Amino acid sequence: MNDRTRHLKFSFNFPGRRLTVRWLLPIFLILLFLTTLLWLPWQAQRMESNERQEQLIADTLWVEQAIRFQLGSDEESLRQIASEVASGYLSGPRLRERLTTLMRNNRELSRIVRQDADGNILASTDDAPSARLDLSARSSDAAQHARQTRAPQYSQPAPTPPPNGPMQMDFHVPLYNGEHYIGSLVASYQMGNILDQMVPWWFAQDNEISLSGDDDTIIVRRAAGGLGRGVYTHSHLMELPGATLTLHTNSIKSAPKLLPNLLVGSVVVLSLGLLWSLWALWRDINRRLAAEGALRQQVSFRIAMENSLLTGLRARDLDGRITYVNPAFCQMVGTPAEQLIGKLPPMPYWAPEAMYEYRERFAKVLAGTVTPQFETIFQRANGERFPVLIFESPLVDDSGKHTGWMGSILDISDRKRVEDLNRQQQEKLQASARLASMGEIASTLAHELNQPLAAISSYTSGALNILNGEAMQSGQVDPGILRSALENANAQAQRAGQIIRSVHAFVKKREPIRESVRIQSLIEGVIPLIEMQAHQFFVGIQLDIEPGLPPVNADRMLLEQVLFNLTRNAVEAMQTVAPERRILRVQATLDKTSGATARVVVAVIDCGPGIPREIAERLFSPFFSTKAEGMGMGLNICRTTIEFHGGTLTHAANPAGGTIFTFSLPVAVESEGSTDASTRPY
Ligand code: ADP
């Protein structure tokens, strides 16, 4: 599995982005944190609510205790009075006063009555008491029960007459004198007063308090601070002798509100902030990841490009220290990058023999000037030398600061090899062309040599005749005649030798040599050969050479070849025209108008049929010929040779009919005062 597939395997898409496994843990932790944050206020709210509920229960119990205590205290007082009444110590106005005092001190009591065994009222706290008590059915039952059990009894609360008056609860204390029932004390409680008097105000302020009877109907209610909300409630059973009451408390407080809660608010704000920052972080990281990915791609693309480059790259800082080399360069010089980076001159790839050249160029680099392009020699680690072409340019950073130099280095061994091969082939071609010319020359040579040989033959035969003749025998030979014949024969032999030498020199294969060549001597040197051709086809030759022409820097023999080819083509072209028009003109002039350097212009002018356009287009193509035995290489070689010398070869129609081939060559720079060393005789 490669890196990419592994990466994909552990990732999935989430809102359009790739959520990788590295996000899962932080997200899980953040969710946990948020859950805890949200759970905390909820828990706090619950605790607060429980606390309030418990507080309410405790308060309710406390209130119940307070009511019980107060009722018990009343009970105690009434029992005390009852025992005094039963023993006969207390009656009449004194009893009434005791009862009134008791009632004044305990405001929950609404009335206390002493009645006899028949139910007649003997004393009462009422100002205008009726004769008998108008008791509710439940109160009568309680009275009956008290009498029977001889124990005080509470009645279940009931409305007082008239129907549905305030709810009232009676406390019956039976009076016995020994075994004899002598009546009872009846203390009445207004239920509303119980709550008003016995429940502390602070509790009533926060809670709705109510009492219900045995049938669960609310008997009385106190809601000083408002109605209860039903959130925190408690009910407590109050068992009294003969009566069962239930105390209900209902807090007016509502459940703790969530949002106003500071904790909840801050948690929400914090959570939102956290989510936002998480989102921002995620977005930022995603952007960075995208940028990093693009960067990585760019880097790997550049590295791949760099590695596949065949051109060596080398960067140097302003001190000339190597700061970077690419693999192609390392391979070229056969030294690893680690051994090159940080190196100051002399470099390991400098060839000792070219050290002076390197140092000179390096001094220029330090001075801030570089040669933008130059050729030199480098040395591989194994000592092998190879030619390189170097392009050097300043290295400028992002802020436009010049930080060093960047060089691209091309190993031009192959190119040089191809150039050499081309040159060799060219030379071979030229040699072949020369040999081809040789074939033609050979026939004319025979013809040319015929004349001097015939002359030599006749001179020598003449001389022999003289020596064998009568004059010799008679001793009257004129040595002057003999000498003249031999001298003529010698001259003819010289001429024949010159012809042969010129042919030999022409055909001889050799390396090109650049030298200072005067066009005049060049033309004169090749004229004997041209003449041989011209004689064959009865062509006249006119030379028109501007006197004092400066020399050109050229290979004499190659230029001779060009001149010979052009004149030979011209002579051949004129075969078909009338003999009187067969004039070959060779002109040489100086052209100072064509640019900075003056040029020597040589024109070979014929009066042949001219060159048709379709032929003109292919004239310089190799192996193009209109001649039955032509090789078609002459003009091609001529142009290559002229261009090799920095010149041009063109052709134009001769206004007088025929063609003008013109080549121009730059005048040799050191032409001033130079002499033509190449004055080879033909
Ligand atoms: P070759 O002489 O072997 O044919 P060249 O390259 O010297 O090869 O010439 C190519 C062709 O150019 C010739 O065959 C001929 O048709 C034409 N040509 C060359 N010089 C002249 C000229 N002076 N006049 C007319 N035609 C010419």
Side-chain angles (χ1 to χ4, degrees), residues 231-247:
V231 178
Y232 307 109
T233 58
H234 188 62
S235 298
H236 196 78
L237 205 63
M238 275 171 62
E239 290 286 357
L240 297 174
T244 304
L245 294 175
T246 308
L247 178 66

Side-chain angles (χ1 to χ4, degrees), residues 440 565-574 604-606 608-612 615 618-621 623-638 658-661:
E440 293 166 34
N565 272 337
L566 295 180
T567 50
R568 190 198 59 188
N569 279 343
V571 168
E572 282 174 356
M574 286 188 286
V604 178
I605 306 163
D606 68 62
I611 302 174
I615 290 182
R618 304 168 56 201
L619 212 55
F620 295 98
S621 312
F623 306 110
F624 171 76
S625 174
T626 56
K627 300 168 195 166
E629 287 166 9
M631 234 174 99
M633 285 306 297
L635 288 178
N636 178 273
I637 291 172
C638 288
T659 314
I660 306 174
F661 275 89

Side-chain angles (χ1 to χ4, degrees), residues 237-531:
L237 205 63
M238 275 171 62
E239 290 286 357
L240 297 174
T244 304
L245 294 175
T246 308
L247 178 66
H248 299 281
T249 49
N250 185 352
S251 175
I252 62 166
K253 288 180 184 162
S254 56
K257 283 184 184 161
L258 197 67
L259 274 178
N261 188 319
L262 188 65
L263 189 59
V264 174
S266 53
V267 164
V268 168
V269 170
L270 273 176
S271 306
L272 288 176
L274 193 69
L275 283 174
W276 181 83
S277 52
L278 184 71
W279 174 76
L281 189 71
W282 185 1
R283 195 183 52 175
D284 186 54
I285 287 180
N286 270 319
R287 275 191 198 152
R288 272 164 200 272
L289 280 178
E292 196 184 295
L295 207 66
R296 201 176 296 131
Q297 220 174 4
Q298 274 287 320
V299 168
S300 45
F301 171 68
R302 267 156 213 274
I303 288 176
M305 210 165 69
E306 219 180 277
N307 291 347
S308 59
L309 261 187
L310 294 175
T311 311
L313 295 178
R314 172 198 63 185
R316 290 182 293 176
D317 64 13
L318 291 173
D319 300 328
R321 187 178 288 107
I322 295 183
T323 53
Y324 167 81
V325 283
N326 74 340
F329 184 78
C330 297
Q331 207 178 359
M332 218 179 264
V333 297
T335 312
E338 310 83 65
Q339 290 181 23
L340 291 173
I341 289 173
K343 263 250 171 240
L344 274 167
M347 301 301 180
Y349 49 84
W350 282 9
E353 65 272 19
M355 206 58 93
Y356 177 74
E357 180 200 342
Y358 299 141
R359 286 197 186 283
E360 215 175 13
R361 205 173 288 117
F362 184 67
K364 278 191 193 161
V365 168
L366 289 187
T369 51
V370 289
T371 324
Q373 179 186 343
F374 57 92
E375 277 187 32
T376 186
I377 298 281
F378 274 178
Q379 170 182 269
R380 295 194 216 278
N382 61 8
E384 182 192 339
R385 270 56 165 176
F386 63 102
V388 285
L389 177 62
I390 300 181
F391 298 89
E392 201 102 55
S393 57
L395 198 61
V396 177
D397 71 3
D398 287 355
S399 53
K401 201 176 137 206
H402 178 204
T403 56
W405 307 96
M406 187 76 206
S408 40
I409 296 103
L410 282 177
D411 181 347
I412 52 170
S413 317
D414 288 345
R415 204 179 82 185
K416 285 271 179 205
R417 221 169 290 141
V418 170
E419 274 176 15
D420 279 354
L421 206 68
N422 270 347
R423 195 166 40 77
Q424 281 168 14
Q425 276 177 347
Q426 195 71 32
E427 278 171 20
K428 274 186 194 158
L429 262 176
Q430 283 174 355
S432 314
R434 275 195 300 275
L435 285 174
S437 309
M438 182 58 194
E440 293 166 34
I441 289 168
S443 64
T444 47
L445 183 67
H447 174 75
E448 280 298 304
L449 285 180
N450 218 13
Q451 280 181 10
L453 287 178
I456 291 168
S457 168
S458 55
Y459 284 128
T460 47
S461 338
L464 278 175
N465 284 341
I466 291 170
L467 288 174
N468 295 334
E470 288 172 13
M472 189 68 192
Q473 285 161 10
S474 62
Q476 289 179 357
V477 175
D478 182 0
I481 297 172
L482 209 53
R483 177 175 291 123
S484 153
L486 287 175
E487 274 173 1
N488 282 335
N490 185 38
Q492 288 301 324
Q494 292 275 346
R495 192 177 157 222
Q498 194 185 355
I499 289 169
I500 287 168
R501 268 198 307 279
S502 72
V503 171
H504 175 75
F506 184 76
V507 175
K508 195 170 68 179
K509 184 175 181 295
R510 55 184 258 298
E511 293 296 313
I513 308 160
R514 287 275 183 125
E515 58 192 350
S516 186
V517 179
R518 287 196 180 279
I519 290 295
Q520 175 141 19
S521 76
L522 179 93
I523 295 172
E524 282 166 0
V526 85
I527 274 294
L529 286 174
I530 300 172
E531 275 174 347

